[in-house]
């Protein structure tokens, strides 16, 4: 297990390093630059050139890259080009904001989707299953921003039950009740999206397992239905769900641009788009790194969870026992 | 057993619905503290007073006003401002030498640093500015001639990378006469220079030890704690990506003090969410309501809307460099061809239908109703397909088999570029395509990402035709740097490679006298020539409607003036809010 972990982590570091190079090249290949804010009569090409020089953008790309990597290795994410703000100080609060929003939606949707999906697999095409199906299709089909605007129109502008947008009311930062009220609508929107896929997966995965011979054997032996479901079927059915959850982990810090925009949530998704438009190379690189790390961690966690849920999976042993 | 399972299913559904609506029950208690603060914003409460309020009970001090915007500031340092968001915020915290009155004249207001209008010498070459003598920075230091001299000299220094450099390129010297007097000497007579004095000043004592190339990194303009300012409000906080907080400066030097105690700038992702926040009452002032929403906002009784076009105009720009066309055949060479295009476009229809009336037709690059507007002297091209066809025929264009005009074997087909995501231009481009098709010209609209477009096409002058606009920094009519053949790419902004010797000279004549009557005559002549020759099709002056919530109050003479650069905040120092 330890050996396996070390190998995986080494691989991951290499992958992340390659990702930084590719991203760096791609980002710089895009036309425009941080000094091109807008067409204003005062911003002549000479002025823009001078600004680029003052910001260090005139240096050759490999030099810029080397500079960036050596900063990163010392834990320094660098500064924004346009106004020399320390990126670290900007990044962490945003990650926290996004985690609060996405994490809540994720947890809410898991808590609903997985039990419900499992239950529905035992009562296929029942009322509950049909309802769940309907909700899933709704979740897949409805554009999040549209659903968000709909909720705002009704529950905020019309009924005035919830705040329209933002993370806090002015002057009430740190007030958890206030934060909760601001979370309700965006979390509803986001969890519907998660819910749709998790519920479908949970149900489908359970159905597949319930059809297996060993389940029939268990039932034939006279094992209590509850035991069949929870002891025999569930553990096997969880594997694909864990994969899915692991794959979604990066979204928890990556954020959801459209929902963040509609609800004016100061999170990562919105920031990433803003920074991409203004060509803030260092910020884009920093965000890429954070998300790549999350992808790697998500996959690793999923792998480790497999071995806990499914005794057949033994990590690290080459050609582990086939079941 | 079966019964139990049914229970479970109902429980699940109930809990799901419960979670979707949890807030409903908890809300009543959680929200009560808010209820008092927001009571004035509830539609029922504001219905009656909304219209009857103005000035009746006079200004009150205190309170917070919330402005919204959709992009964050970059840097508030007046030497480095190149974007409107930074400019908007900076004008609250930095005092300028002069201000503009409602008709766009330079004036010394009680909140201006200068005591009086500048004395201009007989030969028009020297401007002497007298400062007020009680003016102070937020750190208590006096604002003196040294600060003015430092600001201008640093702006002119190429190492600073200041966008102000072109504004002061006619300055020969700037000298301190005494602590309160500064003398500017120009290299040549240049009338628009007066508007260059409508300029915020930076503190010499804070920045003098910073190398010009390092100013952008100095924290002055990016860190509120390091930004010593001079205006009625001071910069208290910047939450990146979320907004600004400005507080009235208790030690502000001006005789006229601000009424509003706090200005909050909130950043929203786009204009539509800004409008939602205005309707909800989270925001008091939105300076750009999208045209598609103007009607809906007007329908709300508690919101007042000001829909007057701003200091910007849209144009259909032609490229006169034959290299941009197939077979090096410039399609827009003929004056009659350009005039025909002007006749073929239904510009009034665009103003009515696309701009929803927030616009005015233009025939020359001077804003309607300003002192330089040539009025009747400029040629007006009415929407007339027959005239357009006749002019095209006179210029030698003959319809081909596919109904598209051709001359010497060259089809009249061109690409019209604009920036992707701009829905106004998208619609206008489609109308242009339709209008020109009726006279036998084929247009292919092409949307390109803004940054890429500017870098690859606009700045180097590599396009066939573009749909773009100019925003006018100040009310002076001089636009030599856009239309004169002295300013071809890559260095200049005449990106369509337009050359007209008569106009080149008129632009020079226009700024070479400080006598306003003489200037007026020149711009009248210029308006006639440029509207005849048409380097562009001047489309319309346009703008964005301003919406204000029921809390914001001003006297009639201090109302926002959208036609000025920062006119949406005209005389904001005299506004007040009611709660």
């Amino acid at each position: 297990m330890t050996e396996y972990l070390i190998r995986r982590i080494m691989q991951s570091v290499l992958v992340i390093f390659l990702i930084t190079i590719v991203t760096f090249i791609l980002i710089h290949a895009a036309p425009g630059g941080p000094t091109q804010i807008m067409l204003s009569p005062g911003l002549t090409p000479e002025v823009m050139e001078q600004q680029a020089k003052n910001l260090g953008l005139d240096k050759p790309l490999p030099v810029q890259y080397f500079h960036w990597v050596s900063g990163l290795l010392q834990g320094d994410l660098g500064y924004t080009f346009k106004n020399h703000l320390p990126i670290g100080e900007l990044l962490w609060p945003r990650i926290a904001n996004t985690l609060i929003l996405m994490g809540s939606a994720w947890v809410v949707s898991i808590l609903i989707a997985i039990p419900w999906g499992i239950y529905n697999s035992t009562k296929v095409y029942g009322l509950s299953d049909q309802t769940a199906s309907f909700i899933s299709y709704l979740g897949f089909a409805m554009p999040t921003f549209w659903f968000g605007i709909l909720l705002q129109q009704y529950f905020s502008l019309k009924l005035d039950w919830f705040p329209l947008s933002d993370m806090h009311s002015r002057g009430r930062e740190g007030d958890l009740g206030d934060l909760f009220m601001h979370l309700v609508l965006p979390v509803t929107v986001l969890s519907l999206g998660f819910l749709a896929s998790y519920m479908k997966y949970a149900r489908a995965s359970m159905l597949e397992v319930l059809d297996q011979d060993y389940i029939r054997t268990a039932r034939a032996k006279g094992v209590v239905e509850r035991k069949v479901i929870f002891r025999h079927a569930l553990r096997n059915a969880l594997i694909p769900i864990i994969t899915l959850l692991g794959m979604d982990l990066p979204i928890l810090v990556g954020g959801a641009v459209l929902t963040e925009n509609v609800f004016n949530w100061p999170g990562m998704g919105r920031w990433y788009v803003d920074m991409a438009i203004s060509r803030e190379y260092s910020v884009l690189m920093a965000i890429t790194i954070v998300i790549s790390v999350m992808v790697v961690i998500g996959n690793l966690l999923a792998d480790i969870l497999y071995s806990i849920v499914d005794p057949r999976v033994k990590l690290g042993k080459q050609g582990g026992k086939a079941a | 057993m079966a019964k139990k399972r049914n229970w479970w299913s109902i429980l699940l559904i109930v809990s799901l619905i419960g979670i979707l609506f949890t807030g409903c029950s908890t809300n009543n208690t959680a929200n009560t503290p808010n209820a008092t603060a927001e009571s004035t914003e509830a539609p029922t409460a504001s219905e009656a007073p909304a219209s009857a309020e103005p000035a009746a009970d006079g200004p009150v001090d205190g309170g917070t006003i919330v402005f919204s915007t959709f992009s964050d500031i970059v840097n508030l340092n007046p030497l480095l401002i190149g974007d409107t968001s930074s400019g908007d915020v900076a004008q609250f915290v930095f005092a300028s030498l002069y201000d503009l009155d409602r008709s766009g004249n330079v004036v010394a207001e009680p909140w201006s640093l200068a005591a009086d209008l500048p004395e201009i010498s007989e030969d028009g070459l020297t401007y002497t500015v007298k400062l007020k003598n009680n003016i102070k920075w937020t750190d208590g230091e006096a604002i003196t001639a040294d600060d003015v001299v430092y600001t201008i000299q640093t702006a002119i220094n190429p190492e600073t990378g200041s966008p102000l450099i072109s504004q002061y390129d006619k300055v020969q010297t700037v000298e301190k006469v005494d602590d309160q007097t500064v003398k500017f000497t120009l290299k040549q007579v240049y009338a628009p220079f007066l508007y260059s004095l409508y300029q915020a000043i930076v503190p010499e004592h804070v920045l003098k030890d910073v190398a010009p190339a390092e100013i952008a990194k100095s924290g002055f303009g990016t860190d509120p704690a390091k930004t010593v300012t001079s205006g009625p409000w001071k910069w208290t906080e910047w939450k990146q990506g979320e907004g600004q907080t400005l507080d009235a400066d208790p030690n502000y030097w001006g005789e006229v003090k601000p009424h509003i105690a706090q200005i909050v700038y909130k950043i929203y992702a786009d204009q539509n969410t800004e409008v939602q926040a205005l309707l909800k009452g989270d925001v008091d002032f939105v300076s750009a309501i999208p045209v598609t929403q103007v009607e809906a906002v007007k329908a709300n009784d508690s919101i007042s809307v000001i829909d007057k076009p701003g200091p910007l105009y849209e144009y259909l720009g032609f490229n006169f460099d034959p290299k941009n066309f197939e077979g090096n055949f410039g399609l827009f060479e003929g004056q009659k061809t350009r005039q025909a295009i002007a006749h073929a476009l239904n510009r009034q229809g665009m103003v009515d239908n696309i701009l929803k009336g927030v616009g005015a037709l233009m025939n020359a690059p001077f804003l309607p109703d300003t002192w330089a507007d040539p009025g009747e002297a400029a040629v007006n091209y009415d929407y007339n397909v027959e005239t357009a066809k006749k002019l095209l025929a006179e210029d030698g264009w003959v319809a081909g088999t596919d109904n598209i005009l051709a001359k010497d074997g060259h089809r009249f087909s061109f690409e019209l570029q604009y920036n992707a995501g701009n829905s106004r231009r998208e619609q206008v481009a489609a109308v242009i395509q339709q209008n020109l098709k009726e006279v036998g010209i084929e247009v292919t609209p092409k949307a390109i990402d803004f940054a890429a477009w500017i870098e690859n096409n606009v700045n180097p002058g590599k396009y066939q035709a573009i749909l773009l606009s100019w925003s006018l920094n100040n009310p002076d009519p001089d636009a030599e740097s856009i239309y004169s053949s002295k300013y071809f790419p890559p260095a200049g902004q005449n990106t369509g490679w337009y050359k007209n010797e008569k106009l080149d000279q008129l632009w020079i004549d226009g700024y070479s006298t400080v006598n306003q009557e003489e200037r007026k005559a020149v711009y009248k002549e210029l308006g006639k020539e440029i509207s005849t020759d048409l380097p562009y099709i001047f489309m319309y002056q346009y703008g964005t409607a301003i919406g204000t919530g029921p809390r914001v109050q001003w006297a009639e003479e201090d109302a926002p003036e959208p036609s000025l650069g920062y006119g949406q905040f005209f005389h904001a120092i005299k506004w007040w809010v009611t709660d």
Side-chain angles (χ1 to χ4, degrees):
Chain A
M1 181 83 173
T2 332
E3 190 196 319
Y4 170 80
L5 274 183
I6 291 171
R7 202 172 66 229
R8 277 294 297 263
I9 290 170
M10 303 268 283
Q11 283 171 352
S12 309
V13 170
L14 185 70
V15 168
I16 290 173
F17 175 69
L18 290 175
I19 290 174
T20 62
I21 293 183
V22 173
T23 330
F24 197 84
I25 293 170
L26 281 179
I27 288 175
H28 283 80
T35 54
Q36 288 204 336
I37 306 154
M38 54 174 51
L39 207 57
S40 133
L43 279 178
T44 58
E46 294 93 60
V47 172
M48 285 200 252
E49 218 166 90
Q50 181 65 41
Q51 285 182 349
K53 200 172 149 203
N54 293 355
L55 299 168
L57 290 169
D58 57 335
K59 302 212 171 64
L61 273 192
V63 177
Q64 289 188 41
Y65 178 76
F66 181 75
H67 189 76
W68 179 80
V69 167
S70 55
L72 183 74
L73 291 176
Q74 297 160 36
D76 181 5
L77 289 169
Y79 293 85
T80 58
F81 281 117
K82 271 197 317 212
N83 38 27
H84 205 69
L85 302 168
I87 292 168
E89 281 176 30
L90 303 179
L91 181 72
W92 303 119
R94 299 224 155 221
I95 290 188
N97 292 349
T98 289
L99 257 179
I100 291 172
L101 176 67
M102 301 301 288
S104 311
W106 197 59
V107 169
V108 166
S109 53
I110 290 177
L111 288 182
I112 300 170
I114 295 183
W116 199 5
I118 292 168
Y119 171 73
N120 288 341
S121 69
T122 66
K123 290 218 115 192
V124 183
Y125 304 125
L127 174 65
S128 156
D129 193 28
Q130 301 273 17
T131 315
S133 238
F134 177 72
I135 292 178
S136 290
Y137 286 127
L138 216 61
F140 281 128
M142 208 152 38
T144 50
F145 70 93
W146 182 78
F147 184 41
I149 291 170
L150 209 68
L151 290 182
Q152 282 180 327
Q153 290 297 332
Y154 197 71
F155 291 103
S156 178
L157 286 174
K158 191 154 179 232
L159 296 177
D160 201 20
W161 286 354
F162 300 106
L164 181 79
S165 52
D166 303 332
M167 195 169 160
H168 311 281
S169 306
R170 205 151 24 80
R172 293 183 65 190
E173 287 84 357
D175 177 339
L176 287 181
D178 182 63
L179 176 63
F180 177 80
M181 294 306 294
H182 282 87
L183 272 171
V184 175
L185 296 185
V187 164
T188 307
V189 171
L190 289 168
S191 23
L192 188 71
F194 283 130
L195 192 79
S197 65
Y198 292 168
M199 198 153 54
K200 281 272 167 209
Y201 263 89
R203 177 180 176 274
S205 168
M206 273 300 278
L207 279 179
E208 202 183 310
V209 174
L210 285 175
D211 213 27
Q212 299 288 329
D213 289 343
Y214 61 88
I215 299 289
R216 207 170 309 141
T217 315
R219 281 188 178 137
K221 275 197 304 187
V223 178
V224 193
E225 184 66 14
R226 184 198 304 269
K227 239 179 163 179
V228 172
I229 301 287
F230 288 101
R231 176 80 57 79
H232 297 262
L234 185 57
R235 287 183 70 169
N236 291 303
L238 276 179
I239 300 254
I241 302 171
I242 288 172
T243 313
L244 189 69
L245 295 182
M247 270 164 28
D248 276 351
L249 215 55
I251 303 179
L252 297 191
V253 293
V257 186
L258 294 174
T259 311
E260 285 176 10
N261 280 354
V262 169
F263 291 98
N264 206 37
W265 196 269
M268 290 279 279
R270 214 181 119 189
W271 196 42
Y272 192 83
V273 172
D274 283 351
M275 294 296 106
I277 290 172
S278 49
R279 304 284 193 272
E280 276 289 359
Y281 302 140
S282 311
V283 178
L284 298 181
M285 292 301 293
I287 298 177
T288 310
I289 286 290
V290 170
I291 294 181
S292 324
V293 170
M294 286 304 289
V295 172
V296 168
I297 292 178
N299 281 319
L300 198 60
L301 277 182
D303 283 354
I304 294 171
L305 274 176
Y306 291 161
S307 72
I308 296 171
V309 179
D310 186 344
R312 287 171 303 179
V313 181
K314 286 272 186 293
L315 297 181
K317 295 252 162 63
Q318 290 288 328
K321 260 183 271 168
Chain B
M1 190 77 163
K3 222 175 196 177
K4 233 179 184 175
R5 271 205 221 116
N6 271 339
W7 261 108
W8 194 22
S9 117
I10 292 168
L11 207 77
L12 265 172
I13 295 174
V14 168
S15 68
L16 169 81
I17 294 169
I19 283 176
L20 278 169
F21 299 102
T22 344
C24 320
S25 52
T26 43
N27 178 58
N28 296 336
T29 46
N31 226 16
T32 30
N34 252 359
T36 44
E38 285 176 4
S39 63
T40 49
E41 287 147 21
T44 42
S46 58
E47 245 169 42
S51 55
E53 224 154 11
D57 22 16
V60 282
D61 287 348
T64 299
I65 188 169
V66 183
F67 293 117
S68 72
T69 171
F70 61 95
S71 60
D72 205 350
I73 62 163
V74 175
N75 193 325
L76 291 191
N77 184 342
L79 286 170
L80 299 175
I81 290 173
D83 63 300
T84 48
S85 291
S86 308
D88 282 350
V89 178
Q91 53 95 34
F92 289 111
V93 297
F94 285 101
S96 289
L97 285 176
Y98 291 99
D99 200 357
L100 299 180
D101 69 8
R102 196 175 285 282
S103 6
N105 297 303
V106 171
V107 283
E109 296 280 11
W111 47 86
S112 306
L113 296 172
D116 223 325
L117 283 175
E119 278 174 38
I120 305 174
S121 63
E122 280 291 307
D123 60 7
L125 284 173
T126 60
Y127 290 65
T128 309
V129 175
K130 272 245 174 263
L131 299 178
K132 293 192 172 81
N133 48 25
N134 60 336
I135 48 181
K136 281 199 292 285
W137 296 104
T138 41
D139 63 0
E141 294 280 325
I143 302 174
T144 66
D146 290 320
D147 295 313
V148 180
V149 172
Y150 171 81
T151 304
I152 308 305
Q153 282 177 347
T154 314
I156 296 172
N157 186 339
E159 280 175 39
T160 313
S162 170
L164 298 176
I165 191 166
S166 53
Q167 187 175 325
Y168 295 108
D169 61 358
K170 307 286 193 298
V171 174
Q172 178 85 49
T173 57
V174 47
E175 302 153 280
K176 169 185 178 177
V177 178
D178 59 50
D179 270 356
Q180 264 76 50
T181 315
V182 185
K183 193 170 102 185
F184 294 85
T185 309
L186 305 190
K187 295 172 188 161
Q188 63 182 80
V189 180
Y190 185 66
F193 180 72
L194 187 59
Y195 285 101
S196 306
L197 295 175
Y198 171 34
Q199 172 62 43
I201 298 303
V202 296
E204 187 216 14
H205 67 279
V206 175
L207 289 170
K208 65 172 182 239
D209 296 327
V210 183
E214 296 291 318
I215 288 179
K217 298 180 183 172
S218 69
F220 183 85
T222 53
D223 180 352
K226 290 183 184 161
T227 309
V228 173
T229 60
S230 53
W233 289 273
K234 59 191 169 105
W235 190 23
T236 317
E237 191 190 18
W238 176 13
K239 283 184 101 175
Q240 275 88 21
E242 295 181 58
Q244 319 291 331
T245 308
L246 318 176
D247 287 294
D249 177 6
N251 303 315
Y252 174 58
W253 50 266
E255 275 171 32
V256 175
K257 308 280 185 197
H259 294 303
I260 295 171
Q262 190 177 55
I263 295 174
V264 171
Y265 246 93
K266 276 188 68 174
I267 298 163
Y268 285 87
D270 55 51
Q271 291 166 330
N272 291 323
T273 47
E274 281 182 65
V275 170
Q276 297 295 312
L278 176 68
L279 295 175
K280 173 77 177 170
D282 289 351
V283 161
D284 299 309
F285 188 104
V286 173
S287 53
I289 301 175
V291 280
T292 48
Q293 301 242 34
V294 170
E295 292 305 316
V297 176
K298 277 183 178 165
N300 186 317
D301 292 340
S302 61
I303 310 290
S304 343
V305 175
I306 302 173
D307 56 355
K308 197 177 165 190
L312 61 175
Y313 65 86
E314 199 130 62
Y315 62 87
L316 165 59
F318 300 123
N319 202 317
F320 294 91
D321 181 359
K323 282 203 292 292
N324 289 299
F325 298 88
E326 226 172 287
N328 285 340
F329 184 83
L331 293 172
F332 306 115
E333 294 301 325
Q335 193 187 68
K336 283 187 174 168
T337 300
R338 301 194 294 274
Q339 292 172 341
I341 292 175
H343 275 298
L345 297 180
N346 184 359
R347 296 182 297 154
Q348 189 59 50
M350 298 177 199
V351 169
D352 294 341
N353 300 319
I354 299 171
L355 305 182
K356 305 285 178 209
V358 191
L361 290 192
M362 285 184 48
N363 297 306
F366 310 113
L367 293 182
D369 303 326
T370 59
W371 63 265
D373 178 9
E376 298 291 307
V379 184
N380 181 38
Y381 295 89
D382 60 325
Y383 172 47
N384 191 326
V385 179
E386 290 317 309
T387 318
K389 284 182 174 162
K390 202 177 112 227
L391 284 165
L392 285 165
E394 284 172 20
D395 214 23
W397 293 98
V398 184
T401 47
D402 56 355
N403 279 331
I404 300 299
L405 297 173
K407 184 153 90 175
D408 307 334
H410 301 280
R411 282 177 86 239
F412 204 154
S413 169
F414 67 90
E415 181 181 85
L416 176 62
Q417 300 178 343
Y418 63 96
N419 55 311
N422 184 319
S423 64
R424 182 189 64 252
R425 290 196 186 127
E426 194 179 304
Q427 294 177 61
V428 169
V431 174
I432 292 175
Q433 181 184 30
Q434 195 59 40
N435 283 167
L436 293 187
K437 196 178 160 193
E438 280 166 39
V439 296
I441 300 172
E442 185 180 72
V443 182
T444 316
K446 187 170 184 200
I448 310 175
D449 166 67
F450 189 76
W453 182 43
I454 297 299
E455 181 169 312
N456 301 336
N457 303 101
V458 179
N459 282 345
K462 288 178 183 160
Y463 55 81
Q464 298 183 332
I466 49 173
L467 191 57
L468 190 58
S469 58
W470 285 111
S471 153
L472 305 179
N473 291 5
N474 66 53
D476 197 275
D478 176 49
E480 187 194 29
S481 64
I482 298 174
Y483 298 102
S484 167
S485 59
K486 272 197 266 180
Y487 294 93
F488 280 162
Q493 292 186 301
N494 181 356
T495 64
W497 310 88
Y498 172 69
K499 186 176 167 78
N500 175 326
E501 274 160 20
K502 185 178 174 193
L503 282 175
D504 284 358
Q505 186 53 46
L506 282 170
W507 287 115
I508 297 170
D509 295 346
Y511 59 68
S512 299
T513 170
V514 289
N515 181 320
Q516 182 128 330
E517 285 312 307
E518 285 173 33
R519 294 193 75 198
K520 236 173 141 165
V522 173
Y523 289 111
K524 197 168 172 180
E525 177 67 21
L526 210 155
K528 192 174 153 196
E529 176 64 22
I530 202 167
S531 60
T532 307
D533 201 41
L534 293 177
Y536 296 162
I537 305 293
F538 300 101
M539 307 283 286
Y540 40 75
Q541 176 194 13
Y542 68 101
T544 45
I546 295 173
T548 62
R551 301 173 61 241
V552 188
Q553 317 291 336
W554 48 65
E556 193 58 44
E557 69 267 24
D558 302 318
E561 180 50 58
S563 67
L564 298 174
Y566 290 107
Q568 71 270 39
F569 305 120
F570 190 73
H571 290 190
I573 193 170
K574 293 184 172 177
W575 299 358
W576 70 95
V577 288
T578 49
D579 273 307

